[in-house]
Amino acid sequence: MGDDKPADGIDGAAQADACYRSLVERLPDGIWVHDGTAVVYANPATLRLLAADSADQVVGRPLTDFVHPTSISALLDRARTLTLAGPAGAPAETTLLRLDGVGISVETVSVLTTWHGHPAYQVVIHDLTAQHHAEAARRRAEHYFTTVVSQLEEGVVVIDPEGRIEAMNPAAERIFGTERSDEQVIGHTIQSLPLVLLDANAQPLPPSRHPIARTLATGETITGYVFGVDRDDGQRRWLSGSSRLLNPDDARSSAVSSFADITEFRASRRQLEYQATHDSLTGLGNRSLILSRLATALASTAEEQPVSTVLFIDLDGFKAINDTLGHAIGDTVLQIVAQRLQRALRSDDIVGRLGGDEFLVLLFGITRPQDTEALVARLRKTTAEPIVARGHRIEVNASIGVTELRSCDPRTPEGVLHDADLAMYRAKPARRHQGTITPGRPGTSQVS
């Protein structure tokens, strides 16, 4: 037994050494051993790192063949601080040289050990190439992102959880009118900027009610909202925006608001909407708009119904004006009559031009017949006042038909219009219905 113990001890040590060597041989990181001047061992990962086909190309060669001149002095200085009983050295970045002369960045950790009975340095080598490539790619991406964002026509603002501005691209500065401001915007809140936020209805919008505040509070992504800004220079800009968290997984993430300037688009759209619903000659609501308002009134409940009376107005003998004085003067007459009707009505009432010389009036809240009669008389009187157009003195009378809207009225807008039209014809005197032109003084005409 006694004779067997030393043999067992030798075999155990050999087995441990074999296991250690097997582990080192399979490590993905490089491991080499040097004596301060030459490489005495290199594992397969180190050989691959140095682009060597075999250990013979590395082992036995001077350390300086594989360490870049800018790194050799620091590497040796770190080695001299190591002791056999002490800890491993701190990780350090080093540049190695492959056999083809290409430099590679690595991280090394060294420990003082013994190699065949002599002091030596065992070094673990971790290739930083992939990490550096990733960092370089990230820096390029950040640079590209910064470049792209700075060139966008769309404004971009980053707001931190406390409501302070962390970043703002040049487009946002142009839209807000702060690009020439001497004051620093970064680090300040939106309310400290020289502008006023507005909601879609042009009412003041506190920053606490802006969608980006909701995004910061709830993490919700909000898109397609419209808001405005009144700038310090007096301009009002309308914006279409979106808000989202920069990092949805972080409860304390900042939020980014991006927005496009839609001021011109909004103005042109409103102009198109206005043109589609208004008469180009008189500026009154056109047939489509006035019938739409009438349809809304008919669809309302008895308690909600705001329109109580509909007036159909026709200008007597207007055809004679066009035939004798020309359409230009006829257009002037229609414009002046439209202005008079608007002035004679209350601000809540609506007047529109159906076409030609026909107008429709929606009266709100008039329930007594005597009030309607008084208003009709006033409209006839104001319409009959003489009109002077291009040297001609013209008098125009109006026939007005009245129809009342009943509670839960079953008629369609066209049905109401038909009844008002019939009432107008019943109210039209035969003399005016025929339409006559009475010669006036030279250069004047009278139409009745």
Side-chain angles (χ1 to χ4, degrees):
M1 293 289 292
D3 293 337
D4 292 337
K5 287 182 180 178
D8 289 344
I10 294 172
D11 289 344
Q15 185 177 7
D17 183 65
C19 289
Y20 176 74
R21 181 176 289 274
S22 176
L23 174 64
V24 169
E25 297 284 317
R26 288 174 170 79
L27 279 178
D29 280 340
I31 291 183
W32 71 6
V33 179
H34 66 86
D35 60 9
T37 58
V39 179
V40 297
Y41 169 78
N43 74 343
T46 301
L47 300 179
R48 290 193 296 270
L49 195 62
L50 298 177
D53 296 325
S54 69
D56 295 339
Q57 294 177 288
V58 176
V59 175
R61 292 181 58 174
L63 193 62
T64 52
D65 286 356
F66 304 105
V67 180
H68 195 278
T70 59
S71 296
I72 190 66
S73 177
L75 183 145
L76 294 177
D77 287 343
R78 289 192 299 270
R80 282 192 285 268
T81 65
L82 300 175
T83 62
L84 282 172
E93 188 165 335
T94 303
T95 302
L96 298 186
L97 291 174
R98 301 194 320 184
L99 289 176
D100 57 9
V102 174
I104 48 174
S105 294
V106 298
E107 182 182 70
T108 60
V109 176
S110 301
V111 62
L112 183 61
T113 184
T114 58
W115 185 263
H116 298 301
H118 299 285
Y121 303 94
Q122 180 175 283
V123 183
V124 179
I125 306 169
H126 177 66
D127 188 359
L128 296 178
T129 303
Q131 178 181 328
H132 284 183
H133 284 169
E135 291 174 350
R138 177 179 55 80
R139 288 193 295 270
R140 285 195 302 272
E142 290 176 350
H143 174 71
Y144 295 156
F145 175 78
T146 302
T147 301
V148 169
V149 169
S150 68
Q151 297 300 317
L152 286 176
E153 289 297 321
E154 189 177 55
V156 177
V157 178
V158 179
I159 307 291
D160 73 11
E162 281 70 42
R164 294 185 296 265
I165 299 169
E166 288 187 330
M168 179 184 293
N169 75 340
E173 293 182 349
R174 289 194 301 271
I175 291 170
F176 288 164
T178 59
E179 73 271 37
R180 294 186 179 89
S181 174
D182 294 331
E183 297 183 11
Q184 176 62 255
V185 265
I186 304 303
H188 291 260
T189 60
I190 288 289
Q191 53 263 45
S192 69
L193 298 183
L195 53 84
V196 177
L197 296 177
L198 306 170
D199 63 20
N201 297 314
Q203 297 302 308
L205 177 66
S208 60
R209 286 180 44 229
H210 190 279
I212 198 169
R214 196 165 89 200
T215 295
L216 284 168
T218 67
E220 179 183 359
T221 294
I222 308 172
T223 62
Y225 57 81
V226 173
F227 69 103
V229 291
D230 278 345
R231 304 185 344 175
D232 196 40
D233 60 6
Q235 288 192 45
R236 174 172 292 180
R237 311 304 295 178
W238 287 104
L239 312 171
S240 175
S242 299
S243 300
R244 58 182 51 82
L245 292 181
L246 277 176
N247 182 6
D249 297 327
D250 181 3
R252 294 289 297 165
S253 171
S254 298
V256 59
S257 175
S258 57
F259 41 86
D261 191 333
I262 59 169
T263 306
E264 284 72 24
F265 170 77
R266 184 181 170 101
S268 63
R269 186 183 67 180
R270 290 199 166 191
Q271 180 64 22
L272 290 174
E273 289 173 351
Y274 181 88
Q275 292 173 351
T277 56
H278 288 75
D279 175 51
S280 59
L281 178 64
T282 63
L284 299 178
N286 61 14
R287 183 186 186 93
S288 174
L289 178 62
I290 200 75
L291 290 183
S292 174
R293 297 287 178 84
L294 181 55
T296 300
L298 290 171
S300 304
T301 64
E303 293 77 15
E304 296 173 336
Q305 193 175 74
V307 178
S308 58
T309 309
V310 176
L311 307 182
F312 192 110
I313 301 175
D314 178 81
L315 303 184
D316 300 325
F318 180 76
K319 183 176 182 299
I321 296 176
N322 283 335
D323 292 345
T324 59
L325 303 179
H327 288 278
I329 291 181
D331 288 347
T332 300
V333 170
L334 290 174
Q335 290 170 334
I336 293 174
V337 169
Q339 294 168 5
R340 290 179 177 179
L341 291 175
Q342 284 183 305
R343 288 198 299 268
L345 293 168
R346 300 165 305 168
S347 59
D348 291 339
D349 299 327
I350 298 175
V351 57
R353 183 187 176 201
L354 294 174
D357 61 340
E358 297 175 338
F359 301 84
L360 196 71
V361 176
L362 308 183
L363 302 178
F364 289 76
I366 294 182
T367 57
R368 299 190 306 172
Q370 56 267 38
D371 293 335
T372 302
E373 291 172 3
L375 178 58
V376 168
R378 186 165 74 248
L379 292 176
R380 283 180 177 151
K381 180 179 179 181
T382 191
T383 303
E385 293 176 1
I387 296 172
V388 177
R390 299 190 183 183
H392 298 278
R393 187 173 183 274
I394 305 166
E395 294 181 10
V396 179
N397 293 310
S399 294
I400 302 176
V402 181
T403 183
E404 304 286 339
L405 295 188
R406 303 183 293 274
S407 176
C408 299
D409 202 311
R411 292 175 293 177
T412 64
E414 289 74 15
V416 173
L417 186 62
H418 177 264
D419 291 346
D421 189 18
L422 289 179
M424 181 274 296
Y425 270 98
R426 286 194 295 270
K428 188 185 286 287
R431 176 179 62 84
R432 286 185 295 179
H433 179 64
Q434 294 297 324
T436 59
I437 299 178
T438 303
R441 297 188 303 275
T444 67
S445 299
Q446 182 180 34
V447 180
S448 61

